Amino acid sequence: MRRLSCLLGLCGVLSIMPAYAAPASHTVQAVASFTVLADVVAHVGGTHVHVTSLVPPDGDPHEFEPSPDDARQLRQADIVFMSGEGLETWFSRLAHAAGYHGTPVIVSNGISLYTPPGRHQAEADPHVWNSVSNVIIWTNNIRDALIAIDPADADSFRASAATYVTQLRTLDHDIRERIATIPADHRRILTSHDAFGYFGRAYGLTFMAPQGLSTETEASAGDVASLIQQIRQTGVTTYFLENATDPRMVQQVARATDARPGGELYAEALSPPGGPAPDYITMMRHNTDLMVAAMQKAR
């Protein structure tokens, strides 16, 4: 994996997420830390904002290693959006190397944070977007930040945000209806790492994973053994890979428990445009469809 020394020009440039719209001289140049956030910014900004994602599609926002081109994008940005809550641990290093002295917009401000129970050290889950209601908060924060930097287009930002919030509320309602078809004692899912806490809290599911909140952490042998025992006791029969994480640990757990593969979830990165999760709403529907299908089979 390329280290931060890439910023000094010692390696090639990472591919950047394709632009959402062709930039024009009057457009706001926005940078978002990762693809899920970039998609929401693009929906609110519309034609008045050109959005670039630093972490590319299928990229891991925990272990991202910036490139010289990322530093250039940051220097040229009119506004920068981050999720915050400990997700983008690499950003301060990138900002220092790029000479960026601005203040990023933290879109998760105002969200009620979730701390997974039973951990040795209390740590808030940074994966806030896996509850749709949190992305409604994102949307309103993005709207206000864009109005502040481009007041001439305020009406457009308000209208776009309102339209997107309506779509998000429909999505939230649909997910709740799908999950409600599964008995409460069958709502258990095995994934690669602990990225779905907000989904579980919002929609009444229990998620189990060998890795913690960050893919940078490593599960101990004791943690894995305890998870295997828990899976056997609860009867989980399906496991899921994630598009941006190493599958080996969850596959090890699956072999020990005879769990079957259920497909690939998109926990923290969109797919490329031609994939199954090219935008946030499609991503959430894709994940819900796979989970519900697996839980129905387990009944």
Side-chain angles (χ1 to χ4, degrees), residues 78 99 105 116 151 154 165 170 183 188-189 192 195 202 209 219 237 250 294:
D78 298 315
V105 176
V165 166
T170 299
R188 300 184 185 92
I189 298 290
S192 298
T237 60
V250 72

Side-chain angles (χ1 to χ4, degrees), residues 111-184:
I111 288 174
S112 174
L113 298 180
Y114 170 73
T115 300
R119 297 205 171 272
H120 302 300
Q121 183 175 358
E123 181 182 1
D125 186 344
H127 307 90
V128 298
W129 57 90
N130 281 316
S131 169
V132 178
S133 61
N134 290 341
V135 174
I136 292 176
I137 295 175
W138 269 19
T139 301
N140 293 333
N141 288 338
I142 292 166
R143 175 202 63 202
D144 294 345
L146 289 176
I147 289 173
I149 197 171
D150 181 16
D153 293 313
D155 289 343
S156 177
F157 297 143
R158 291 189 186 100
S160 296
T163 298
Y164 193 53
V165 166
T166 298
Q167 296 172 3
L168 292 172
R169 287 178 176 152
T170 299
L171 171 66
D172 185 66
H173 175 267
D174 292 347
I175 292 174
R176 293 181 189 280
E177 284 202 328
R178 296 295 310 284
I179 300 300
T181 64
I182 306 298

Side-chain angles (χ1 to χ4, degrees), residues 67 117 158 178 198 215:
S67 74
R158 291 189 186 100
R178 296 295 310 284
Y198 290 94
T215 55

Side-chain angles (χ1 to χ4, degrees), residues 219-229:
S220 69
D223 290 337
V224 173
S226 296
L227 178 62
I228 290 171
Q229 182 180 10

